Amino acid sequence: MEIIENKYFLLALTFGVYAVSKYIQKRTNFVLLNPILLSIAAIIIFLKITGIDYSKYKEAGAMIEIWLSPCVVALGVPLYQQLDEIKKQVVPILVSQIVGCLVGIISVVFIAKWLGATDEVVLSLAPKSVTTPIAMQVSELTGGIPALTVSAVVCTGIFGAIFGLSIFRLTRAKSAIGESLSMGTASHAVGTSRVMEISPRFGAYAGLGLSLNGILTAIVAPTILEWIM
Amino acid sequence: MLAFGELVVWLTGVRIPSSIIGMLTLTLLLKLGIIKLRWVKSTSNFLTGNLAFFFIPPGVSLMLYYGLIKSQWIPITVSIIISTILVMASTVWTYKLIRKSNGNHRK
C-alpha cells in the first residue's frame, strides 16, 4: 500500500491516465470521451477505491499545476503569429469578442443566481467560457472555487463542441469565420479542437476567439463581478 | 516572463491575472523583435499542445466539492448551457453585422 501513496507514483499515474485517455479519444473520436474528463474521472475513482487521501494526491498535482501559468504565457506565441490576421478585421473581431465576453459573464451570473446558486458557486461559474488556466486565475482572484471553475469550463467546452454547429445553424449567420471565432469565444480549447477537425484555417480563428476572450475576461471579469454581485 | 507579470501585478495592484500580463508582454516583445520566435516556439508549442494535461490535478480536487455540486447541480448546468448558447449567438451575430456594414462602406 505504501508505494501507491508516493507522490512520484501518483505523478506517473496522472501521465499514464492522460496518455490512455488521449489514445481512447483518438480511437473512438467520440466527443463525450473528452481526455480531460476521462482522466479526472479515472483518478478520482482510483483515489476513492484505494482510499488515498486527496492531500496525498495534491503533492503530485502541485508538480503539474505549477505549469498552468507558464502555459497561459505561452499562448502569447500563437497570438503573435495571428497578429496580421487580426489587423485585417480588427473592428468586427474586437467588438464581437467584447459582446461575447460580456454576454458570457453576465448571463451565467444572472441565470445561476436566479436559480438559487450560492455566491461562491456563481463566482466560480462566471469565467466558464475561457480556457482553464485563465479561468482558474480569475476564479481565485474573485473569490470563486477554482476546482469548481475547472469543471464548469470543461462542461462548457464539451457542450459547445457537441452542440455548437447545430446552434450556429439555428442562428442562420452563415459565416464560417464568425462561427469559428464564436466557437473559440464560447467554448475555448475544446471548441477550438472541434473546429480544427473541420479545417485548420478556421481553427486559427477559433484560436483567436479563445485567446481574445481569455484576455478580455481576465481583464474585465473582476471589475464586472464587483458591480453585479 | 511570469515572474515579470507577478512583479507588475504586485507593483500596480491591478486585478488582472499575472499570467495574462506575461502573455501580452511576450507578444509585444516578439512583435518588437526583442524576443525571436525561434527561441520560444518549441517551448510554446509543447505547452499549448498539451494544455489539457495541466487541467487534470485542479479537476481532481473536485472530489472535495462533491456535496456542493450535488446540491446545486441544476443552477450550475442550466446556467452553463443557456449562457453558452447566448455567447455563441451574440458573438456570431455581432461579427456578421459589423462585417456587413464595413463591407458596404468599402463598396
Side-chain angles (χ1 to χ4, degrees):
Chain A
M1 266 325 248
E2 282 293 285
I3 181 156
I4 58 170
E5 285 191 7
N6 183 287
K7 64 177 176 180
Y8 296 104
F9 172 79
L10 293 172
L11 183 67
L13 178 82
T14 311
F15 278 114
V17 165
Y18 176 66
V20 172
S21 309
K22 256 196 140 166
Y23 178 75
I24 294 175
Q25 161 94 83
K26 222 177 183 174
R27 284 300 294 268
T28 58
N29 228 341
F30 183 51
V31 237
L32 274 179
L33 291 178
N34 181 283
I36 311 156
L37 204 62
L38 270 181
S39 306
I40 293 171
I43 291 172
I44 291 182
I45 292 168
F46 174 82
L47 295 179
K48 287 268 179 212
I49 289 174
T50 55
I52 296 174
D53 196 62
Y54 172 74
S55 62
K56 290 274 181 209
Y57 181 75
K58 200 175 162 61
E59 290 174 23
M63 289 189 275
I64 302 170
E65 235 180 296
I66 201 166
W67 289 95
L68 268 174
S69 295
C71 278
V72 180
V73 178
L75 285 172
V77 173
L79 185 68
Y80 163 74
Q81 290 172 313
Q82 287 163 349
L83 270 185
D84 289 330
E85 197 65 52
I86 305 174
K87 269 186 206 152
K88 276 184 229 155
Q89 14 183 340
V90 69
V91 178
I93 290 179
L94 273 185
V95 178
S96 60
Q97 289 310 303
I98 293 170
V99 171
C101 167
L102 295 178
V103 168
I105 299 170
I106 296 170
S107 64
V108 83
V109 165
F110 279 110
I111 296 167
K113 266 192 161 179
W114 179 61
L115 291 171
T118 54
D119 280 3
E120 264 188 326
V121 172
V122 172
L123 287 168
S124 309
L125 295 179
K128 58 134 191 32
S129 283
V130 299
T131 194
T132 310
I134 298 178
M136 282 181 67
Q137 273 200 319
V138 171
S139 171
E140 210 171 343
L141 211 61
T142 55
I145 306 164
L148 187 57
T149 303
V150 174
S151 65
V153 167
V154 174
C155 294
T156 306
I158 296 172
F159 173 77
I162 299 174
F163 298 105
L165 297 177
S166 324
I167 295 169
F168 291 130
R169 217 168 295 131
L170 289 174
T171 63
R172 295 178 189 280
K174 293 194 181 102
S175 155
I177 292 178
E179 288 173 12
S180 314
L181 197 65
S182 313
M183 192 74 137
T185 313
S187 35
H188 53 89
V190 186
T192 304
S193 63
R194 177 78 189 92
V195 180
M196 208 66 104
E197 280 169 26
I198 303 165
S199 134
R201 190 171 93 84
F202 294 134
Y205 282 99
L208 187 59
L210 149 88
S211 23
L212 285 177
N213 193 25
I215 302 167
L216 285 172
T217 301
I219 296 172
V220 304
T223 313
I224 292 186
L225 288 173
E226 227 164 65
W227 289 342
I228 62 179
M229 283 302 288
Chain B
M1 206 46 71
L2 182 71
F4 174 78
E6 299 275 6
L7 185 72
V8 173
V9 171
W10 184 73
L11 284 176
T12 57
V14 285
R15 301 190 71 191
I16 300 173
S18 54
S19 52
I20 296 293
I21 297 177
M23 167 182 161
L24 295 176
T25 314
L26 177 63
T27 312
L28 183 72
L29 292 180
L30 280 165
K31 182 71 192 157
L32 294 174
I34 297 169
I35 291 179
K36 296 273 177 276
L37 186 59
R38 61 169 194 281
W39 301 346
V40 287
K41 201 173 174 191
S42 59
T43 315
S44 160
N45 282 351
F46 174 75
L47 289 176
T48 52
N50 291 293
L51 209 55
F53 174 71
F54 304 99
F55 296 14
I56 299 173
V60 172
S61 60
L62 258 181
M63 61 191 282
L64 299 176
Y65 300 98
Y66 180 72
L68 189 70
I69 294 171
K70 205 179 158 194
S71 64
Q72 301 189 33
W73 72 274
I74 293 176
I76 294 174
T77 43
V78 173
S79 61
I80 286 178
I81 291 173
I82 298 179
S83 171
T84 306
I85 296 173
L86 290 176
V87 174
M88 288 183 162
S90 62
T91 312
V92 76
W93 279 331
T94 314
Y95 174 81
K96 226 192 153 196
L97 200 75
I98 300 177
R99 274 247 76 181
K100 225 179 183 172
S101 57
N102 268 4
N104 289 344
H105 275 301
R106 274 178 209 136
K107 278 171 202 166

